[in-house]
């Protein structure tokens, strides 16, 4: 057994991995994607894509990481000596750092809202929320300050290590996230007219069953599990050899689906009950949700809960992104985790400043017609992650012998061969479609 630091328990690993996957994609992006694409049909397609396309790649990352017991680069070097597969690890580290650089900007926005909610400073005028959001993202001092505070929170957790930092934080934040969600769901479902939101989520409108909705659901399912940047590979490297990676991966996928559905159950019944439209796009969490909660009894309290759980979900994702950078930087050199976390976090903070300023003083700077923030988002989500996931699927599906993958997955023959067929044929084709479509949409 490797002397490498490990998760103290299987549940600690699952909560940490689920926390990485359950971020803004599940709570912020999923509701507005479902809202814009017919609700129930999008949700059904999303669940199917999770199990048949994203989950096989997640299992592959768990397999590579747990087998390697090292950082992403070293794992590939030792498992494929003399071959360039280790470049997947380098790409994962770079993409994770870039994702965290702009992800921390959104984390800063959440801190801005949470601070105002705690101080009861949010406007009483529903129509002012759009102006408030624009004011926050355009204020250079507030944008950079809150981005820095969010990075600081991430550093403080990662520097404490796997057991004392990441696992401990995940064991606190993930159950709290579920608890807060249940409270908000109960409140939302008790509103007059909430049934319309349930119909929107669970009664199919087959007019939306088309190529566009399938493709969008495929993209959401792929990105929501954090595959493609070796984050899950890195977490699995801290997992003991006796753990069932297939079962752990299924638990992570199911938890992600549950949180996504809970996010919908918080938002859509309240949106319909209070006369708003569900197709509000990315502003749903920052513009519409505050306006919705404001109209509820004890709305200020429920709004605080909402932004706390949004913060928890964002932090559990951000620590996984910093961890892959720290893990690779430490390597076998026995470098100080504390020093490495602070240096890595500070560099990522500096890289993220242009994204933080891209809606205000640097809004005139564009890259391929996109703001700096959107350009980094596009580079990571539409190019880097699909490429990484594609080669991870090829490595696990073709480079590994069936003897190795059977041994690592350790499941029944029918389930093993189902996974093998999906990782060799279905997932790579789906990833290629996402990649090509993303490029054409640029």
């Amino acid at each position: 057994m490797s002397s490498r630091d490990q998760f103290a328990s299987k549940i600690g690993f699952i909560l940490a991995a689920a926390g990485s996957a359950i971020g803004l994609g599940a709570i912020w992006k999923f509701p507005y994607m479902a809202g814009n694409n017919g609700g129930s049909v999008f949700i059904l397609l999303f669940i199917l894509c999770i199990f048949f396309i994203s989950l096989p790649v997640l299992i592959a990352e768990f397999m590579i990481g747990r087998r390697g017991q090292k950082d992403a680069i070293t794992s590939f070097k030792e498992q494929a000596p003399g071959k360039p597969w280790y470049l997947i690890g380098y790409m994962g580290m770079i993409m994770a750092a870039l994702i965290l650089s702009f992800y921390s900007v959104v984390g800063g926005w959440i801190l801005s809202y949470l601070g105002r909610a705690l101080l009861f400073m949010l406007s009483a005028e529903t129509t002012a929320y759009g102006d408030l959001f624009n004011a926050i993202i355009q204020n250079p001092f507030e944008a950079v300050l809150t981005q820095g505070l969010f990075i600081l929170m991430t550093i403080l957790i990662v520097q404490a290590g796997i057991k004392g930092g990441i696992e401990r934080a995940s064991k606190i934040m993930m159950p709290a996230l579920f608890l807060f969600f249940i409270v908000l769901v109960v409140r939302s479902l008790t509103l007059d007219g909430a049934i319309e939101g349930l119909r929107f989520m669970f009664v199919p409108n087959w007019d939306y069953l088309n190529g566009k909705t399938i493709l969008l659901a495929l993209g959401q399912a792929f990105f929501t599990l954090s595959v493609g940047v070796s984050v899950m590979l890195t977490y699995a490297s801290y997992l003991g050899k006796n753990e069932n990676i297939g079962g752990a991966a299924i638990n992570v996928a199911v938890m992600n689906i549950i949180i996504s559905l809970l996010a919908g159950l918080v938002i859509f019944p309240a949106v319909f009950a209070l006369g708003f439209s569900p197709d509000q796009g990315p502003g749903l969490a920052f513009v519409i949700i505050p306006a919705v909660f404001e109209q509820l009894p004890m709305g200020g309290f429920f709004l605080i809960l909402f932004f706390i759980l949004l913060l928890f979900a964002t932090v559990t994702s951000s620590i996984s992104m910093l961890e892959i950078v720290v893990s690779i930087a430490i390597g076998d050199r026995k470098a100080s985790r504390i020093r490495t976390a602070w240096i890595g976090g500070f560099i990522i903070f500096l890289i993220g400043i242009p994204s933080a300023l891209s809606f205000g003083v640097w809004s005139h700077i564009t890259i391929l017609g996109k703001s700096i923030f959107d350009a980094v988002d596009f580079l990571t989500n539409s190019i880097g992650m699909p490429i990484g996931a594609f080669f991870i699927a090829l490595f696990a599906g073709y480079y590994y012998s069936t003897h190795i993958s059977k041994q690592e997955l350790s499941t029944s023959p029918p389930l093993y061969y189902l996974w093998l067929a999906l990782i060799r044929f279905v997932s790579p084709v789906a990833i290629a479609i996402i990649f090509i479509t993303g490029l054409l949409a640029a």
Side-chain angles (χ1 to χ4, degrees):
M1 182 65 68
S2 169
S3 61
R4 182 174 173 82
D5 192 10
Q6 293 191 337
F7 286 97
S9 63
K10 181 179 180 180
I11 188 63
F13 166 73
I14 290 173
L15 289 175
S20 174
I22 299 168
L24 293 177
I27 300 176
W28 172 53
K29 190 175 182 181
F30 175 81
Y32 82 71
M33 291 291 287
N36 283 343
N37 297 284
S40 54
V41 170
F42 177 88
I43 293 170
L44 176 62
L45 292 170
F46 164 75
I47 293 172
L48 291 174
C49 290
I50 281 275
F51 283 113
F52 291 102
I53 296 168
S54 298
L55 180 59
V57 183
L58 178 63
I59 291 172
E61 285 211 28
F62 281 177
M63 186 181 293
I64 297 166
R66 201 270 301 274
R67 180 174 174 79
Q69 295 285 299
K70 298 286 180 64
D71 65 86
I73 294 172
T74 306
S75 282
F76 282 111
K77 282 184 175 180
E78 292 187 353
Q79 294 181 65
K83 295 181 172 60
W85 289 104
Y86 66 89
L87 295 175
I88 299 172
Y90 278 110
M91 173 173 278
M93 177 184 68
I94 294 169
M95 289 299 113
L98 289 175
I99 291 170
L100 182 53
S101 75
F102 77 86
Y103 201 83
S104 60
V105 175
V106 183
W109 299 345
I110 296 169
L111 288 175
S112 289
Y113 269 82
L114 179 58
R116 285 173 169 81
L118 289 169
L119 296 173
F120 302 102
M121 290 173 58
L122 291 180
S123 171
E125 295 293 327
T126 298
T127 55
Y129 283 111
D131 295 336
L132 173 63
F133 182 61
N134 288 329
I136 288 173
I137 66 176
Q138 292 172 11
N139 183 323
F141 177 77
E142 182 169 358
V144 174
L145 175 63
T146 54
Q147 177 218 359
L149 289 174
F150 183 84
I151 287 284
L152 177 62
M153 292 174 61
T154 305
I155 292 171
L156 291 174
I157 294 172
V158 172
Q159 72 164 10
I162 299 301
K163 294 188 184 74
I166 294 173
E167 183 170 2
R168 180 178 296 176
S170 298
K171 282 185 173 180
I172 295 171
M173 288 191 282
M174 290 304 293
L177 188 149
F178 275 99
L179 178 62
F180 289 171
F181 253 130
I182 296 301
V183 172
L184 290 171
V185 166
V186 170
R187 184 65 192 96
S188 186
L189 292 178
T190 54
L191 295 171
D192 291 335
I195 190 67
E196 290 302 318
L198 294 179
R199 286 198 185 99
F200 180 75
M201 287 186 66
F202 299 114
V203 178
N205 180 351
W206 298 112
D207 292 341
Y208 284 92
L209 185 57
N210 52 50
K212 176 189 174 185
T213 307
I214 293 172
L215 186 61
L216 291 172
L218 177 61
Q220 178 68 16
F222 173 67
F223 297 118
T224 197
L225 284 187
S226 295
V227 292
V229 290
S230 298
V231 163
M232 294 303 195
L233 187 158
T234 302
Y235 270 5
S237 72
Y238 301 114
L239 192 62
K241 291 285 190 180
N242 60 335
E243 300 293 351
N244 184 319
I245 56 175
I250 291 172
N251 284 330
V252 170
V254 169
M255 288 175 69
N256 192 284
I257 291 171
I258 291 172
I259 285 291
S260 297
L261 292 176
L262 286 175
L265 288 172
V266 170
I267 291 171
F268 293 124
V271 164
F272 277 93
L274 297 172
F276 290 93
S277 172
D279 57 349
Q280 296 295 323
L284 194 64
F286 293 103
V287 178
I288 301 301
I289 295 304
V292 167
F293 281 122
E294 183 182 83
Q295 297 187 30
L296 302 177
M298 295 182 65
F301 168 74
F302 290 112
L303 186 58
I304 289 170
L305 280 189
F306 176 78
F307 280 113
I308 289 175
L309 71 85
L310 194 57
L311 178 64
F312 281 2
T314 311
V315 169
T316 54
S317 291
S318 70
I319 58 179
S320 69
M321 296 173 209
L322 181 56
E323 176 58 29
I324 181 177
V325 176
V326 170
S327 174
I328 289 173
I330 292 175
D332 292 326
R333 294 184 295 276
K334 307 300 181 185
S336 166
R337 168 173 281 271
I338 295 175
R339 184 183 301 113
T340 305
W342 278 93
I343 293 173
F346 182 68
I347 292 172
I348 291 171
F349 165 69
L350 294 178
I351 295 172
I353 289 177
S355 291
L357 300 178
S358 64
F359 299 99
V361 294
W362 285 2
S363 60
H364 62 286
I365 300 176
T366 60
I367 302 172
L368 298 176
K370 302 177 185 295
S371 69
I372 299 172
F373 181 99
D374 290 334
V376 178
D377 184 8
F378 175 78
L379 172 64
T380 54
N381 286 303
S382 297
I383 298 179
M385 290 182 75
I387 290 175
F390 182 79
F391 283 106
I392 284 169
L394 294 185
F395 185 87
Y398 292 98
Y399 185 81
Y400 273 163
S401 67
T402 54
H403 172 73
I404 289 176
S405 53
K406 270 184 184 177
Q407 186 180 52
E408 289 296 324
L409 193 51
S410 185
T411 188
S412 65
L415 288 178
Y416 168 75
Y417 285 109
L418 172 62
W419 171 82
L420 190 64
L422 293 173
I423 200 65
R424 283 185 169 180
F425 306 111
V426 179
S427 293
V429 171
I431 293 166
I433 291 172
I434 294 173
F435 179 70
I436 293 169
T437 305
L439 290 181
L440 293 176

